[in-house]
Amino acid sequence: RVIFNWGDYTLAPSKKIQSDMLNLGIKEVGLWKRGVDAERFNPDYYDDATRFQLSEGDVDAPLLLYVGRLSREKHIHDLRPVMDALPNVRLAIIGDGPYRAELEQLFAGTKTNFMGYVKGEALAKAYASSDIFVFPSSMETFGLVVVEAMAAGLPVVASRVGGIPDVVTEGYNGYSFDVGDIAAIIDGVKRVSQSRDIMIQMGKNGRAFAETQTWGHMMD
């Protein structure tokens, strides 16, 4: 509180963080969300070969995608019950971190593909070639990957942390859940994946929202 109040003004990346800072007694706190590169993350990057790789050849199955650091606070382990409850879906996990070996053991025997660290155009293709973005993290300041996924045309099922409640509109571009609520994660994925038409429409809604979240809009 003392350090921030030495400054003339503070900028928070989400309404949740803004509220937390005001409650701490920080006096002048404005909202400055993170922008997304809507040209790089774009449905136009869909690629058959990338989808084949992510899904290990099972291209017709609903394909869930996680992108981020593989660490315990990301709660990726909460996705294991999803794979058990919905045996028709596949999961691609992009990223690396200290929890990877443990996660690979945990997800052994499921339709889960660990892709390692991916960046640049390959990452843009991975987003655009998947169906649903899943993000169960317990700790997040903004959650930029969620908006990147929307920009790529994906509906999202994500935890209510950081800036995620600012960007997920229930039933419109995805569903959100309390951290650790496995039943709600399963329900969200089930609702989105029940038909290809629903996935496509919610993905279009996500793209439309992401276009209002570009760096140009944020700087304005």
Side-chain angles (χ1 to χ4, degrees):
R1 181 173 64 246
V2 170
I3 291 170
F4 275 104
N5 283 336
W6 280 342
D8 295 315
Y9 200 68
T10 298
L11 289 164
S14 70
K15 292 177 182 177
K16 174 68 167 61
I17 301 299
Q18 182 186 34
S19 175
D20 289 347
M21 297 184 89
L22 289 167
N23 289 337
L24 284 170
I26 298 165
K27 294 173 183 174
E28 296 285 344
V29 186
L31 182 64
W32 185 28
K33 296 181 184 179
R34 297 291 155 273
V36 65
D37 184 343
E39 292 184 10
R40 167 50 58 92
F41 301 105
N42 192 305
D44 291 344
Y45 276 95
Y46 174 86
D47 179 66
D48 284 332
T50 299
R51 186 175 178 89
F52 188 91
Q53 182 185 22
L54 292 171
S55 67
E56 297 180 296
D58 190 6
V59 295
D60 293 327
L63 178 58
L64 312 182
L65 177 71
Y66 168 87
V67 175
R69 181 169 164 78
L70 306 189
S71 52
R72 191 172 292 275
E73 75 274 5
K74 298 295 186 181
H75 272 242
I76 304 161
H77 50 270
D78 286 348
L79 297 176
R80 171 64 209 243
V82 177
M83 304 306 292
D84 294 334
L86 303 172
N88 62 313
V89 306
R90 299 198 66 97
L91 171 63
I93 294 178
I94 288 179
D96 214 338
Y99 201 28
R100 178 171 177 172
E102 195 170 333
L103 286 170
E104 286 180 336
Q105 283 189 329
L106 179 66
F107 282 87
T110 68
K111 297 176 181 177
T112 304
N113 188 8
F114 287 82
M115 302 295 295
Y117 185 72
V118 177
K119 63 180 182 178
E121 186 172 317
L123 179 59
K125 287 180 177 179
Y127 274 120
S129 303
S130 301
D131 291 319
I132 304 169
F133 189 74
V134 285
F135 197 68
S137 180
S138 66
M139 191 181 299
E140 211 66 33
T141 304
F142 181 70
L144 183 58
V145 288
V146 171
V147 189
E148 290 176 349
M150 289 182 183
L154 300 189
V156 303
V157 179
S159 53
R160 297 186 192 104
V161 295
I164 292 171
D166 296 348
V167 300
V168 174
T169 301
E170 304 295 322
Y172 175 73
N173 56 13
Y175 292 96
S176 62
F177 54 88
D178 293 328
V179 175
D181 189 343
I182 306 296
I185 304 173
I186 294 170
D187 183 62
V189 172
K190 190 183 293 185
R191 284 170 182 256
V192 179
S193 65
Q194 61 185 305
S195 83
R196 180 66 57 179
D197 288 343
I198 289 174
M199 283 193 290
I200 291 172
Q201 185 56 55
M202 292 182 77
K204 287 179 178 178
N205 295 342
R207 172 65 190 181
F209 172 78
E211 287 175 348
T212 72
Q213 303 295 300
T214 64
W215 272 116
H217 282 84
M218 294 304 105
M219 295 302 288
D220 287 344

